[in-house]
Amino acid sequence: MGSRLHFVPLLDAGPDGPVCHLLRADDFNILLGCGWDERFSPELLQPVIREIGQVDAVLLSHGELSHLGALPYLVSKCGLGAHVYSTGPTRRMGEMFLRETVQAKQASSDFDVISMEDIEKAFSDHPWTQLRYHQHFKITEGKLAGVTLTPFNAGHMVGGSVWKITLPDGSDIVYAVDWCHKKERHLNKGTVADLTNRPALLIASAAGCLAPSVSAVRRDTEMLEVIIATLRGDGCVLIPVDTAGRVLEVALLLEEFWAQEKMAYPLVLLSHTGSAVLEQAQQQLEWMSDHITAAFGAKRDNPFDMRFLKTISSLDQLHRLPAGPKVVLACGPSLECGFARDLLLEWAPDARNTVCFVDRSERGTLADTLQRHVAGPEQLVLTLDVSRRTELAGAELEAYMRQQGQAVEVEAEDDEAGGDDAGAAGGAASGPLSGAPSLRASLLRREASAPDGSGGVGAMGMDGVTMGGSGGGVEGVEDEEEAVVGLPVLVDGFEPPQGCAAPMFPDEDEEMVEAWDAYGSLAAFEAPGAPLLSGSGSSMDAGCYAGSYGGPVGGPGEVRGPQGGAQQAAAAGGGDGEPEDEEPPVLRIPTRLVASRVALRVAAALRFFDFSGRADGPILRKSLADAAPRALVLVRGSDTERSDLSRHCESALSDLRCAVSCPRPGQAVRVLLLPVHTVFLSDALNRSVGLQRMQRYALAQLEATVGAPDPHYPALPQLLPSTSERSAEDVFIADSAFGIQLSHIKQALFEAGLESVFQGGSLVCGSVAISKGSNDKAHLVLEGALCDDFYRVREVIYSQYSVC
């Protein structure tokens, strides 16, 4: 009796919902994905949390939220300690996805389900193994000892993987969710059918099985025509995109078009992590298409070194661009939060503008509502709840400072009038925070005295503004020079020189200590595995994490959220970087959420272009039939998609007795693995074996005896040539999945010197007609006189399908 597998979909809601499945074997449990949605509801993860203690490994296929969004929560809040396996880009881009989403949530709500510290812990401190495509990684320790993991290119996203899990007994399990069969600008095509011969279990997604084939050239042309028409009509184009996945394909398309046509309209990527994502893409060319790697190898041409696409990280920077038509790729494809939602509120009422969707969104989101809207004579009006952060001022600021146990001194200075005192200790604030140097010094003292540098954060949330250091800025002040004029003292006890024109800090030269060797001074260098989010010359520019509405502003190498958290970002590969210098004091400006309900009139044009990067219906049906698994489990997708694909696979794989299942969340599927025996063929027996090619297989008939094990393979039984007389009976074998192809018979007859032609569905060779059986694809019917032609044709057919 063979071993049993149990497959349980823990989370599997709809075609775009979170992915989280549990694969149970006799000795181990593997978690296939740990996705979440943008609502970040802990109640949704309860089925996963109940199984956390039994999980021995986690396999991640893609870097988007639906595949790994719950990893920080499960690691930090639920105690997930299982080892994580993925490709390098999945790990690095997954971190970008989470950082972008968390900052967007914090800018519009008191979001505290996961923090930047939780993301840091999951992606830097947690045990993680990064694999390359086609790398056979055999686990040698723990409950998974003997299991081999192999990732294959899935397309869809950089580093996206189709996993093959090889059990110790040789059985193969293929996990293929979200893969693309087309070669794209930045990715090679993925495949499922060629990974292994007849896997014991194939887990595949049914999402998109009803989608027709889409011409990429026609799609790109139509989208560019819509964009050009909108720009020439004095309108703006909003393209909601994800953080670090399909946005790369759209960005390459627009960058190429802007370069070819020499477009003068602004092309912008609006994202907290946009600069980091593009820099990571520049470093991951080896994971991309053959065209990109060949161009880089020949000309050192990096397509993600964008000349026309500009990255910005706040709405203030966008508003400072010249007024007029522009194209903006804004993060937040669901339009539930993020920059895409903010721009939609501004641009939707203008009929000159256009919103271009490039992927389907999860059911129930604002993007899904707009995509399902059918244009009519009346404009669409939506009632939306809008929340934004504003800085505290006046009585609110004074009350907050008293709540924190500090004396508040507010002095307003007017540079043109000569400066006037606006308040005393404990008085009310009468102006903005930027005009209160005493209050700033008070906050700086508190930051310096805090043991952890956080300075304490109230329930309203705090936003960080770096004073000094590269990349720092004052949120809400358009010109940094205006923010410092009139601030004579920034550190208590330091007297600036007379006539100074700007705020000053004390500067004391430190003794320079240099190390020397026989070749001279030892130059400082950056150790391998430098921090992913470092300062100058890093993957994250200085303003990368500067959010709108008082969003977090981080100094070099630091990520700061509205809740006051600050931590060093670790290296993408999980290594330890060099220690950073001590950060300058950080002034945290208190903010509060202002909620309102607005009626959004959607006058802008709404268009959809499919850049989802998933296999379409015809290819999905053909690939699953070609894979010919012993058991097939369909996940994701709507009920209609699952039902349709299930019926097709049951019909196509009926001859192989393949069990097709469409389990609901929490419903277990049991798969019996047939026992597999591995033997060693002696040299004498191996020389006598004649393999016969049968479609995708090579077969031979053996008659042998079991002998003593070979000294080089003592664990395997050895087969020796049989001493008995060999059976004279032939064995005929045909692939019942494909049947006998008459075209193959025609080719075999031609090679044997016999001419044949197709007539009325039969193959005619002389006076012999060859046709398929009416009820069985693996049998042929020969009709004709018993002559030499009949016996010659029969002999040719026997030679093709006989295993002697």
Side-chain angles (χ1 to χ4, degrees), residues 354-370:
T354 300
V355 181
C356 294
F357 295 98
V358 293
D359 198 357
R360 297 293 180 187
S361 186
E362 188 177 355
R363 186 67 63 90
T365 60
L366 177 57
D368 177 69
T369 301
L370 295 178

Side-chain angles (χ1 to χ4, degrees), residues 541-554:
D541 61 2
C544 183
Y545 284 102
S548 60
Y549 313 128
V553 178

Side-chain angles (χ1 to χ4, degrees), residues 234 236 264-268 316-328 347:
D234 201 28
C236 297
Y265 299 104
L267 178 61
V268 176
D316 293 335
Q317 295 177 0
L318 179 64
H319 293 155
R320 287 197 291 267
L321 294 177
K326 59 180 66 70
V327 177
V328 179
W347 291 358

Side-chain angles (χ1 to χ4, degrees), residues 89-336:
T90 295
R91 181 179 186 178
R92 292 190 287 270
M93 293 307 196
E95 182 178 3
M96 295 295 102
F97 266 98
L98 282 163
R99 289 188 182 277
E100 178 75 32
T101 306
V102 168
Q103 292 204 60
K105 298 288 286 187
Q106 290 177 341
S108 59
S109 65
D110 289 325
F111 179 78
D112 59 356
V113 178
I114 58 175
S115 63
M116 294 297 181
E117 289 84 355
D118 298 332
I119 299 175
E120 173 77 9
K121 181 178 180 180
F123 286 87
S124 297
D125 303 334
H126 194 75
W128 202 306
T129 297
Q130 298 176 179
L131 304 179
R132 306 183 66 83
Y133 288 150
H134 303 279
Q135 176 184 351
H136 300 286
F137 183 80
K138 187 173 183 179
I139 303 174
T140 58
E141 299 178 351
K143 295 182 179 180
L144 278 81
V147 176
T148 301
L149 304 177
T150 308
F152 295 90
N153 176 38
H156 185 58
M157 290 188 178
V158 179
S161 305
V162 172
W163 287 95
K164 184 175 76 170
I165 307 170
T166 304
L167 303 182
D169 63 1
S171 301
D172 290 331
I173 302 170
V174 176
Y175 179 69
V177 177
D178 291 343
W179 60 280
C180 181
H181 65 286
K182 294 181 179 180
K183 184 176 181 179
E184 299 182 294
R185 283 179 174 80
H186 76 298
L187 295 176
N188 286 325
K189 64 180 181 179
T191 184
V192 171
D194 301 332
L195 303 185
T196 181
N197 284 329
R198 297 218 63 191
L201 174 62
L202 173 59
I203 305 165
S205 172
C209 76
L210 299 179
S213 297
V214 178
S215 171
V217 176
R218 180 178 178 182
R219 175 203 62 193
D220 297 346
T221 302
E222 291 179 353
M223 179 175 176
L224 294 175
E225 289 176 351
V226 169
I227 291 176
I228 290 300
T230 302
L231 295 176
R232 291 175 178 173
D234 201 28
C236 297
V237 179
L238 169 62
I239 306 178
V241 293
D242 59 13
T243 302
R246 301 304 301 170
V247 62
L248 300 180
E249 182 73 12
V250 179
L252 278 183
L253 169 63
L254 298 179
E255 176 73 13
E256 292 175 2
F257 183 75
W258 252 244
Q260 293 173 0
E261 303 297 330
K262 296 183 173 51
M263 303 285 288
Y265 299 104
L267 178 61
V268 176
L269 173 60
L270 181 56
S271 167
H272 294 293
T273 58
S275 298
V277 168
L278 291 182
E279 185 163 344
Q280 284 297 316
Q282 294 178 23
Q283 301 171 8
Q284 297 170 5
L285 300 186
E286 58 186 308
W287 297 86
M288 299 187 186
S289 65
D290 297 336
H291 172 73
I292 287 181
T293 54
F296 182 77
K299 303 179 181 179
R300 288 296 183 265
D301 181 18
N302 195 318
F304 293 99
D305 185 12
M306 303 287 187
R307 295 190 299 115
F308 294 91
L309 180 67
K310 306 302 180 184
T311 59
I312 59 178
S313 57
S314 69
L315 285 177
D316 293 335
Q317 295 177 0
L318 179 64
H319 293 155
R320 287 197 291 267
L321 294 177
K326 59 180 66 70
V327 177
V328 179
L329 284 72
C331 282
S334 68
L335 299 179
E336 291 299 303

Side-chain angles (χ1 to χ4, degrees), residues 757-803:
V757 294
F758 285 104
Q759 292 182 2
S762 299
L763 181 64
V764 178
C765 179
S767 61
V768 181
I770 310 169
S771 60
K772 291 186 178 182
S774 59
N775 298 323
D776 191 346
K777 296 186 295 183
H779 287 79
L780 292 177
V781 177
L782 271 65
E783 297 178 338
L786 295 178
C787 57
D788 292 340
D789 288 344
F790 181 89
Y791 291 107
R792 291 183 62 187
V793 170
R794 189 182 68 171
E795 187 66 25
V796 171
I797 295 175
Y798 281 178
S799 66
Q800 298 296 311
Y801 299 98
S802 172
V803 181

Side-chain angles (χ1 to χ4, degrees), residues 50-72:
R50 287 194 293 266
E51 304 289 346
I52 284 296
Q54 304 178 19
V55 175
D56 301 304
V58 179
L59 264 60
L60 301 178
S61 299
H62 299 281
E64 55 190 335
L65 291 182
S66 60
H67 285 267
L68 53 66
L71 184 63

